[in-house]
Amino acid sequence: MTTVKLDSHILEKDAGTIAEQLNIQSQQATVRTLQVLFLRSKAQLEPIHYNPPIFLLQSSSIAPSYTDVAPQDVTDYLEKLVRAAQQAAESHYCGSFVAGQTSESDEFADIGVWLGEGNYRRNHEKDILDKLGLIAWADAEIDQMDGLYDKKLKVELESSEESAIGKLLDSLEDCHRFFARRQDSYFACFLVGRLKAGWCGLASIGVTS
């Protein structure tokens, strides 16, 4: 499985250059999502023991650099989940399925998340941020969401027997969705649940004025 370590030397470049260098066969919105999730402001000091997370190219997913490699069936699942999320977002005229129409921008896209073993149920949101190395969100306020997606999406997707994203999410146990809000206009969005092999899900970025 091809992986790339997401250090600041890579992410500080423009989205087009990053996509070309990493051979990411996806829209630049995926790269912009990675940049906002992981880049810190220049005023923030890099911690001594900071270990940048990795990007899994096949499934367009992020993972801690020290976690167990995702099994092939999980990789295949995440690849399908990311594709279904992006298709659902496009069909509802928003950039991200996880952020939904709460976000005022469509410049970001959904990416996969692989966490592996652990306890990442509701009320363990900070543990998820820590596991992924999201130091830029260490002081963010956690906003637990009532449902897995926006009310409009919920009505339309649950009424459709052919909902690819709905069927994929049904495979996840203890699934929950939350936003991490900072003092700026960005908020990080997560939807995570548990497969037999470990915890995984989706992440994206939303924007609010």
Side-chain angles (χ1 to χ4, degrees):
M1 182 188 304
T2 304
T3 64
V4 177
K5 183 162 283 193
L6 295 171
D7 59 41
S8 58
H9 300 296
I10 291 177
L11 294 176
E12 286 173 350
K13 301 175 182 177
D14 68 87
T17 300
I18 296 171
E20 183 177 351
Q21 284 191 343
L22 301 186
N23 193 28
I24 299 176
Q25 303 300 321
S26 62
Q27 67 265 44
Q28 292 185 20
T30 298
V31 178
R32 286 193 289 270
T33 299
L34 295 174
Q35 288 177 310
V36 176
L37 276 175
F38 292 107
L39 276 182
R40 310 184 79 198
S41 70
K42 296 189 182 298
Q44 293 174 300
L45 297 177
E46 201 75 10
I48 296 175
H49 300 296
Y50 174 56
N51 196 5
I54 57 175
F55 184 69
L56 312 175
L57 291 174
Q58 179 182 338
S59 59
S60 294
S61 301
I62 54 176
S65 59
Y66 54 85
T67 196
D68 293 334
V69 175
Q72 188 58 49
D73 59 338
V74 173
T75 300
D76 294 341
Y77 173 82
L78 283 172
E79 188 175 7
K80 294 175 183 177
L81 184 64
V82 170
R83 187 183 309 117
Q86 293 179 348
Q87 290 173 347
E90 290 173 4
S91 66
H92 290 84
Y93 306 103
C94 52
S96 162
F97 170 79
V98 182
Q101 295 173 337
T102 305
S103 177
E104 299 173 7
S105 171
D106 60 359
E107 63 180 314
F108 301 101
D110 296 296
I111 58 175
V113 172
W114 167 243
L115 293 164
E117 294 291 343
N119 182 4
Y120 301 111
R121 293 179 175 85
R122 185 177 289 269
N123 297 321
H124 290 267
E125 291 83 2
K126 287 285 188 178
D127 294 333
I128 294 172
L129 301 182
D130 291 342
K131 182 73 180 280
L132 291 170
L134 289 167
I135 53 178
W137 302 85
D139 298 324
E141 179 181 342
I142 301 301
D143 187 4
Q144 296 176 341
M145 310 307 290
D146 292 332
L148 297 184
Y149 27 77
D150 288 353
K151 291 182 179 179
K152 181 179 180 181
L153 288 174
K154 179 180 176 67
V155 171
E156 294 184 12
L157 292 175
E158 288 187 346
S159 64
S160 172
E161 296 181 357
E162 302 301 320
S163 168
I165 187 69
K167 291 180 179 179
L168 288 165
L169 292 178
D170 286 342
S171 301
L172 294 174
E173 297 183 10
D174 300 313
C175 198
H176 62 107
R177 174 174 169 243
F178 69 94
F179 294 167
R181 299 184 185 275
R182 299 189 303 201
Q183 297 300 313
D184 56 20
S185 60
Y186 295 119
F187 58 94
C189 318
F190 296 89
L191 188 159
V192 297
R194 181 166 52 86
L195 295 174
K196 289 183 179 180
W199 290 79
C200 62
L202 296 165
S204 190
I205 292 291
V207 178
T208 185
S209 56

